[in-house]
Amino acid sequence: MGFGFIEIILTLCIVIIIAPRLGKYIANIFLQENTILDPILNPVEKIIYALIGVGKHTEMTGGQYLRALLSTNLVMGITVYSILYYQTSLPWNPNRLSSNNWDLVLHTTISFLTNTDQQHYNPENTFSYFSQTTALGFLMFTSAATGLVVGIAFIRGLSGRKLGNFYVDFTRSITRILLPISIIGAIALVILGVPQTLQGTLLVETLEGRSQYLARGPVASWEMIKVLGENGGGFFTANSAHPYENPNPASNLLEIIAMLAIPTSLIHTYGIFINNRKQTWLLFSMVLIIFVTLISITSIAELQGNPLVNNILELQIPNLEGKELRFGWAETVLWSVTTTSTMTGAVNGSQDSLMPQSIFTSLFGLFLQIIWGGQGTGTAYLFIYLILTIFITGLMVGRTPEIFGRKIEKREIVLASVILLIHPMMVLIPTALTLAYPISLSGISNPGFHGISQVVYEYASAAANNGSGLEGLNDHTLWWNLTTSLSILLGRYIPIMCIILLADSMSKKLVSPENRGTLKTDTLVFTTITAGITIILGVLTFFPVLALGPIAESFKLGG
């Protein structure tokens, strides 16, 4: 058991070492400074820019940046929907899989387009290799790049720079960050035992003389961008609990680090843009402390085990239900907290089998979206809370709210409020409608407090663009496909639009010289206040559903 905690600590230490170095590399890319890949990629990118008709140094306004982002995503969505719907007429379909219902295809397209990857289907027998690689795999790169450039544009706006060019940022995100790391990571996974093939399902004879079908495919390439890009969708139904996706502790460690790499690094990228590493480490430490706290709560809950089981056995054993014994309780705990904190959504065990306290921490991560948050957008959310804290503390002490010498006024607060309010709306409203008709709509397999958690989790996962779920819901229905699609769309694009507009507004403001009345944001006191306001807002907004779900279930088990 003690070794489990050592595993967690060593993994976090590796991430802390990687983050500032990768953060500097990302900053160099988007500041268009020299990087190690320039000799290889500069000629390639010149061709790409020439084909799409943009200049490397062409700047966009906020409106132009937003229109380019939305139109690009719309074209990609329509293209991928067509591929998925007409897959029977397309190549690379060795298992001869047929087409699927329009609502499932719509939900899958929207889910992968928005970096959510919520799957209401069985991956092994639903989509062909062509659909998975050229459509869904393609979106795993582009959706991650979309989120990443939104975060970069927001950082530029806060630092007083112009927002840049969407097409240039989008291209460089893929060619210089996502693709190189994915290639190296996929090769490492192949070495560790993850298959990479276009051959169909394998028929084998077991020791008992029976036939068994082994699903396989281009798994390694899918797996790496799944975790690196915070996509989370599994090539197999069991996701990263499947031995072909995650065969051993070494692959498990690699995938956890990949999930954390970019979101932890972007805070350091921000520090380089504003030339204030002190605030970088304060914010990084704030998020890390919250992250470690959630890991600690989950570890204690899973290590103590289920009291009902322990009373029957008259033993104190960890909660091993739904966990891969290849990884044990510790690696499952770390993965569970990581996947809901980074908005990845991949799982290496059953989220539904976690103790109520662990489900509480998972939901808490989905509700806050800043520990470490989604790809790029999570960093933007962190600074939205920072802006809100500046506004509140400025009013409390009678100082004009400003960040980096730029005043925070009505427009900025309205946009920040919309960003923070759309998420609870997309979770709580559909949850209330679904729970009003528990038999006809929700499809809850586990009634009671846990059933409430299942429904809340599904919509929280959709609205936060996470994609994981508490399995047991009958979610492959018209109701679930359409309502979660709506939560996914609004939870993704309304915040993105407001973030870009807010960044554009901040970039145009005049800088006021610092004076004695300036509220400093790079202090321990201010960072502590930011953490308090963030946690209080998150808990208060969702406390009723937390009380009716995991909190009530925990008291029931304890009683």
Side-chain angles (χ1 to χ4, degrees), residues 268-324:
H268 293 279
T269 301
Y270 157 80
I272 294 172
F273 267 83
I274 66 168
N275 195 28
N276 189 338
R277 302 307 295 272
K278 179 182 177 182
Q279 187 177 38
T280 294
W281 281 109
L282 284 170
L283 289 173
F284 185 88
S285 300
M286 180 193 83
V287 179
L288 179 63
I289 289 171
I290 300 174
F291 184 57
V292 170
T293 301
L294 297 181
I295 292 173
S296 301
I297 294 172
T298 308
S299 296
I300 293 170
E302 299 304 312
L303 189 56
Q304 287 179 341
N306 190 321
L308 299 180
V309 175
N310 290 346
N311 288 339
I312 294 172
L313 297 178
E314 297 183 353
L315 292 172
Q316 183 73 32
I317 61 172
N319 174 31
L320 297 178
E321 180 192 342
K323 293 179 175 59
E324 271 295 317

Side-chain angles (χ1 to χ4, degrees), residues 1-14 253 329-331 334:
M1 292 181 183
F3 181 71
F5 286 108
I6 294 175
E7 287 181 295
I8 294 173
I9 293 170
L10 289 177
T11 304
L12 294 179
C13 288
I14 294 172
L253 174 64
W329 69 268
E331 291 300 321
L334 180 57

Side-chain angles (χ1 to χ4, degrees), residues 172-362:
R172 291 170 75 87
S173 294
I174 295 174
T175 58
R176 294 173 182 264
I177 301 172
L178 299 174
L179 194 57
I181 300 176
S182 293
I183 291 173
I184 295 171
I187 293 172
L189 288 177
V190 170
I191 294 172
L192 291 171
V194 179
Q196 180 73 15
T197 178
L198 290 177
Q199 294 182 357
T201 298
L202 181 65
L203 176 62
V204 298
E205 184 177 341
T206 66
L207 293 176
E208 294 86 0
R210 298 179 180 179
S211 297
Q212 182 176 351
Y213 293 91
L214 298 179
R216 53 183 177 171
V219 184
S221 57
W222 174 286
E223 188 70 14
M224 196 59 204
I225 187 57
K226 179 189 85 172
V227 289
L228 178 69
E230 295 184 49
N231 292 283
F235 197 91
F236 302 105
T237 303
N239 207 282
S240 291
H242 196 290
Y244 284 178
E245 288 198 34
N246 190 9
N248 50 57
S251 64
N252 195 71
L253 174 64
L254 176 62
E255 292 178 24
I256 290 176
I257 292 173
M259 282 193 281
L260 289 165
I262 294 177
T264 56
S265 301
L266 284 176
I267 297 179
H268 293 279
T269 301
Y270 157 80
I272 294 172
F273 267 83
I274 66 168
N275 195 28
N276 189 338
R277 302 307 295 272
K278 179 182 177 182
Q279 187 177 38
T280 294
W281 281 109
L282 284 170
L283 289 173
F284 185 88
S285 300
M286 180 193 83
V287 179
L288 179 63
I289 289 171
I290 300 174
F291 184 57
V292 170
T293 301
L294 297 181
I295 292 173
S296 301
I297 294 172
T298 308
S299 296
I300 293 170
E302 299 304 312
L303 189 56
Q304 287 179 341
N306 190 321
L308 299 180
V309 175
N310 290 346
N311 288 339
I312 294 172
L313 297 178
E314 297 183 353
L315 292 172
Q316 183 73 32
I317 61 172
N319 174 31
L320 297 178
E321 180 192 342
K323 293 179 175 59
E324 271 295 317
L325 297 183
R326 291 175 292 137
F327 309 128
W329 69 268
E331 291 300 321
T332 306
V333 163
L334 180 57
W335 187 295
S336 172
V337 178
T338 300
T339 196
T340 50
S341 295
T342 60
M343 302 306 129
T344 303
V347 294
N348 74 346
S350 173
Q351 294 290 99
D352 194 54
S353 297
L354 294 173
M355 297 300 294
Q357 300 95 315
S358 305
I359 294 175
F360 176 94
T361 60
S362 295

Side-chain angles (χ1 to χ4, degrees), residues 442-522:
S442 68
I444 296 173
S445 62
N446 197 336
F449 302 127
H450 190 81
I452 294 175
S453 295
Q454 286 180 324
V455 174
V456 174
Y457 194 109
E458 188 77 4
Y459 285 115
S461 173
N465 303 134
N466 176 268
S468 62
L470 300 183
E471 298 308 325
L473 286 177
N474 180 24
D475 53 18
H476 181 16
T477 64
L478 183 64
W479 170 260
W480 279 112
N481 285 337
L482 294 185
T483 55
T484 52
S485 293
L486 183 63
S487 289
I488 289 169
L489 279 174
L490 298 183
R492 172 74 164 181
Y493 290 110
I494 290 181
I496 282 179
M497 289 188 285
C498 293
I499 286 169
I500 296 297
L501 293 175
L502 179 55
D504 188 48
S505 178
M506 294 300 295
S507 69
K508 295 176 181 178
K509 289 182 178 290
L510 298 176
V511 179
S512 303
E514 187 174 309
N515 54 57
R516 294 180 61 186
T518 301
L519 181 65
K520 292 187 177 295
T521 59
D522 57 353

